[in-house]
């Protein structure tokens, strides 16, 4: 794996799986039994892969009363210059942010999303200086406006994106290179992403649009081999990880980490 020089010291913050995971929030899928031991083994393998791909992994402890705490992506948006501490749309998840804010404050200046704003990190897709933000039940207009205000001085622009039939924007579309998105066109329209190359998921694998890019490697759930082949066909190096158990909690591979450069960067000249 070749990491771009700006990525040369990547941090991945993760959070251990809570024993309460079986009581997680569910919106679009029915509740199924989750094998906690298997979920933990899959999560461990995911962390090992992050480490093998060059990330320094910091794992926060689980909180027994925070069922969805493992889905740490939703609690913050960490940019090169600043970290936005989210205010999750699900009330049950609001307590998750405190420990994440404390951890991330080692690396970044923090800005909090305040009421009445709500924002889930899973709704924010960063492509260069564009922040595509899902219009979902979890992220409202006030949350998007606060994100825009906190980041405009660094040259970012927020673009709202409508999303249907899935939880978060990044359930429907993620970036696999600087200029390529992996997309489920049934859940989000590709029209918003002008100038970017779109790779569609295999239609038989609706949850396959969630991929996690680390440098020029792509982490992808092992349950979606047909979509994986599409990524390999355009020359990407895909690392499949078994992710079946957390998928039953409506989580994917991006959800389980916050990835950012160790060195904060100032505004561009
Ligand atoms: C929730 O509903 O909040 C969790 N059960 C799943 C969160 C998944 N996070 C993500 O897609 N970023």
């Amino acid at each position: 794996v070749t990491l771009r020089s700006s990525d040369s010291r990547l941090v991945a913050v993760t959070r251990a799986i809570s024993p309460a995971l079986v009581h997680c929030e569910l919106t679009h899928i029915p509740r199924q039994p989750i094998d906690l031991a298997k979920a933990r083994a899959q999560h461990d393998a995911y962390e090992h892969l992050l480490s093998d791909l060059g990330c320094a992994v910091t794992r926060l402890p689980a909180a027994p009363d925070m069922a969805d705490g493992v889905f740490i992506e939703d609690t913050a948006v960490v940019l090169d210059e600043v970290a936005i501490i989210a205010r999750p749309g699900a009330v049950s998840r609001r307590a998750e942010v405190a420990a994440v804010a404390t951890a991330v404050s080692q690396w970044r200046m923090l800005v909090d999303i305040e009421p009445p704003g709500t924002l889930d990190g899973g709704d924010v897709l960063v492509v260069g200086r564009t922040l595509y933000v899902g219009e979902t039940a979890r992220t409202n207009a006030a949350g998007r406006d606060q994100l825009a205000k906190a980041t405009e001085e660094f040259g970012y622009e927020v673009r709202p994106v409508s999303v249907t039939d899935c939880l978060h924007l990044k359930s429907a579309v993620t970036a696999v290179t600087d200029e390529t998105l992996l997309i489920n066109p049934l859940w989000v329209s590709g029209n918003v992403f002008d100038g970017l190359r779109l790779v569609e998921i295999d239609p038989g694998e609706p949850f396959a649009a969630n991929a996690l890019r680390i440098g020029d490697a792509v982490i992808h759930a092992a349950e979606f081999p047909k979509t994986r082949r599409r990524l390999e066909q355009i020359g990407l190096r895909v690392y499949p990880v078994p992710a079946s158990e957390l998928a039953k909690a409506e989580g994917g591979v991006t959800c389980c980490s916050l990835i950012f450069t160790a060195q904060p960067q100032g505004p561009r000249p």
Side-chain angles (χ1 to χ4, degrees), residues 24-25 68 71 73-74 93 122 138 167-168 249-251 255:
C24 66
E25 293 280 340
D68 283 303
F71 302 119
E73 165 178 65
D74 293 320
R93 300 198 56 189
R138 298 291 177 85
L167 186 60
H168 287 124
E250 226 171 332
C255 314

Side-chain angles (χ1 to χ4, degrees), residues 142-163:
R144 283 191 295 278
D145 288 348
Q146 290 177 36
L147 176 68
K149 285 205 179 73
T151 58
E152 66 185 351
E153 66 176 291
F154 306 111
Y156 292 92
E157 188 199 339
V158 165
R159 290 203 207 159
V161 182
S162 63
V163 178

Side-chain angles (χ1 to χ4, degrees), residues 4-256:
R4 287 170 300 137
S5 56
S6 61
D7 292 344
S8 57
R9 291 185 54 229
L10 284 181
V11 174
V13 185
T14 63
R15 194 162 200 179
I17 292 176
S18 167
L21 175 68
V22 295
H23 304 298
C24 66
E25 293 280 340
L26 286 177
T27 310
H28 296 278
I29 60 173
R31 198 166 294 275
Q32 303 165 65
I34 297 177
D35 180 335
L36 259 188
K38 192 170 167 189
R40 291 202 170 105
Q42 292 180 346
H43 190 247
D44 284 352
Y46 169 86
E47 288 174 330
H48 274 111
L49 178 57
L50 289 174
S51 168
D52 289 346
L53 292 175
C55 298
V57 179
T58 297
R59 179 197 275 198
L60 306 185
D65 54 338
M66 295 180 198
D68 283 303
V70 64
F71 302 119
I72 193 168
E73 165 178 65
D74 293 320
T75 61
V77 178
V78 186
L79 301 171
D80 284 346
E81 305 84 358
V82 64
I84 311 305
I85 301 302
R87 183 165 179 269
V91 175
S92 70
R93 300 198 56 189
R94 300 239 165 104
E96 293 174 26
V97 301
V100 178
T102 302
V104 172
S105 69
Q106 296 171 59
W107 293 281
R108 292 294 187 277
M109 170 185 99
L110 307 181
V111 176
D112 291 322
I113 299 294
E114 310 270 9
T118 64
L119 183 95
D120 275 18
D123 275 321
V124 182
L125 171 64
V126 183
V127 180
R129 298 273 139 177
T130 304
L131 306 178
Y132 294 99
V133 187
E135 299 178 305
T136 66
R138 298 291 177 85
T139 297
N140 65 18
R144 283 191 295 278
D145 288 348
Q146 290 177 36
L147 176 68
K149 285 205 179 73
T151 58
E152 66 185 351
E153 66 176 291
F154 306 111
Y156 292 92
E157 188 199 339
V158 165
R159 290 203 207 159
V161 182
S162 63
V163 178
T164 47
D165 299 325
C166 62
L167 186 60
H168 287 124
L169 176 64
K170 279 189 277 186
S171 320
V173 59
T174 54
V176 289
T177 74
D178 280 345
E179 61 283 316
T180 313
L181 303 181
L182 178 63
I183 186 168
N184 176 341
L186 295 180
W187 291 350
V188 66
S189 161
N191 296 336
V192 214
F193 306 105
D194 38 276
L196 297 169
R197 169 164 69 161
L198 303 180
V199 176
E200 292 191 3
I201 55 145
D202 181 279
E205 298 175 340
F207 291 92
N210 187 261
L212 174 60
R213 178 188 174 201
I214 308 283
D216 61 7
V218 175
I219 300 178
H220 196 237
E223 291 75 26
F224 309 126
K226 293 179 179 159
T227 300
R228 172 187 177 184
R229 229 163 286 134
R230 293 186 179 202
L231 295 172
E232 288 170 344
Q233 272 161 9
I234 62 159
L236 294 175
R237 188 193 305 234
V238 184
Y239 292 81
V241 284
S244 59
E245 292 312 296
L246 290 179
K248 296 176 190 168
E250 226 171 332
V253 290
T254 65
C255 314
C256 295

